[in-house]
Amino acid sequence: MSWDRQITIKTPQELEIMREAGKINAEALAAARAAIQPGATTADVNAAAEAVLKKYGVYSPFKNYPGPYPYPASTCVSINDELVHGIPSKTRKIKEGDIVTVDCGTVYRGFVADAAFTVGVGQISEVARKLLEVTEGALYAGIRQMKPGNRVGDISAAIQHYVESRGFHVTREYTGHGVGRRMHEGPQVPNYGVPGRGLLLRPGLTIALEPMVLVGTWQTRVLADEWTVASADGSLTAHFEHTIAVTEDGPVILTLLGEDESGQKRASGI
């Protein structure tokens, strides 16, 4: 996916709108998570998220996103070796032992929120369990760097160090990104980098930060549907994402459900 490189700084009022978008998006993802059961299809998972979006009269920026052909769903649902952009299907059934990633975006009053999670289905392997733990931990390691005066490279380097020091790999081909009135704005935020380099972070900058982690290799391949991205070697992958605002008081996660403060606590290191 390509995107507009414009970087936008949001006002406090715009951040409030993005927080509302984030709450709706979190509710949609919670519904999707509840639908992930053995025997359910990936289309069932997408339908659960879409029902929440419909309830609020909002839509996902994923639907009809331009690419090899317009993206056909409101979410991406990816299983096991599939890293991102998995197309929901009425024939793809979820099984015990799978790990399932759901990515969803929400447009509310002209602003976008974007988040993702990976979850295990029933009993999963020890490697899968560790992969989920490390990928989510890498997200919060990156978030902790999102404070005024730091640079994009500080975020990227923190994610890379967290993942690689635990024996896994970060994707080199897909990145986090600025988000606001468009789903994809600047800056581009790779999951690897050098501290002290890149754009200077300032209050009002909003970023969809999304570590994408692979067990066996950083290399990927695109499947026959021309959207789904999988690990090149067939090994497991995981993906966690939040939309975060840089503020004078540090990072604020905009895609938490309701008044849940657990994400802020983890982001601040408490």
Side-chain angles (χ1 to χ4, degrees):
M1 293 183 180
S2 61
W3 58 83
D4 189 295
R5 300 292 179 168
Q6 181 181 2
I7 295 168
T8 63
I9 299 298
K10 284 74 177 180
T11 66
Q13 293 77 20
E14 289 172 335
L15 290 180
E16 283 300 315
I17 295 171
M18 289 187 69
R19 176 69 182 110
E20 291 305 310
K23 288 180 183 179
I24 296 170
N25 200 69
E27 187 175 332
L29 283 175
R33 184 187 291 261
I36 296 173
Q37 302 289 340
T41 67
T42 54
D44 294 332
V45 175
N46 179 73
E50 284 191 335
V52 173
L53 301 182
K54 183 177 180 181
K55 179 177 78 170
Y56 288 99
V58 300
Y59 66 94
S60 171
F62 295 11
K63 193 76 173 279
N64 295 317
Y65 194 89
Y69 49 89
Y71 189 77
S74 295
T75 65
C76 301
V77 186
S78 310
I79 300 178
N80 295 333
D81 65 320
E82 296 167 354
L83 182 65
V84 286
H85 306 163
I87 299 174
S89 166
K90 292 180 179 179
T91 60
R92 182 79 184 278
K93 290 190 175 182
I94 295 165
K95 305 186 302 296
E96 174 90 12
D98 283 342
I99 58 173
V100 181
T101 297
V102 184
D103 191 355
C104 184
T106 295
V107 181
Y108 171 75
R109 292 178 58 188
F111 284 89
V112 178
D114 188 6
F117 68 85
T118 306
V119 66
V121 183
Q123 196 73 25
I124 60 174
S125 69
E126 180 60 23
V127 170
R129 186 200 62 76
K130 183 181 178 185
L131 174 66
L132 268 58
E133 181 181 283
V134 168
T135 308
E136 187 172 18
L139 172 60
Y140 285 93
I143 292 172
R144 284 192 287 272
Q145 298 300 316
M146 290 186 59
K147 47 194 176 186
N150 277 3
R151 294 185 177 273
V152 164
D154 297 312
I155 304 170
S156 300
I159 291 171
Q160 181 180 13
H161 174 74
Y162 193 96
V163 171
E164 292 182 350
S165 67
R166 289 159 175 80
F168 293 121
H169 305 269
V170 291
T171 181
R172 303 293 175 120
E173 299 165 298
Y174 301 91
T175 73
H177 50 89
V179 63
R181 289 194 179 275
R182 294 180 177 87
M183 183 169 69
H184 291 124
E185 298 182 348
Q188 190 173 8
V189 186
N191 291 307
Y192 65 98
V194 178
R197 294 188 181 175
L199 180 76
L200 185 70
L201 304 181
R202 30 192 287 237
L205 183 66
T206 48
I207 292 173
L209 195 61
E210 47 183 328
M212 303 171 210
V213 179
L214 306 93
V215 170
T217 176
W218 62 264
Q219 295 174 309
T220 60
R221 61 193 177 98
V222 178
L223 302 187
D225 65 17
E226 299 183 83
W227 273 106
T228 306
V229 178
S231 61
D233 63 354
S235 63
L236 293 175
T237 69
H239 174 203
F240 281 83
E241 177 182 19
H242 270 308
T243 296
I244 307 103
V246 178
T247 78
E248 293 284 5
D249 298 323
V252 173
I253 301 172
L254 302 177
T255 41
L256 292 173
L257 185 60
E259 300 306 316
D260 177 13
E261 295 297 321
S262 61
Q264 271 95 336
K265 290 180 178 179
R266 291 186 63 181
S268 62
I270 296 173

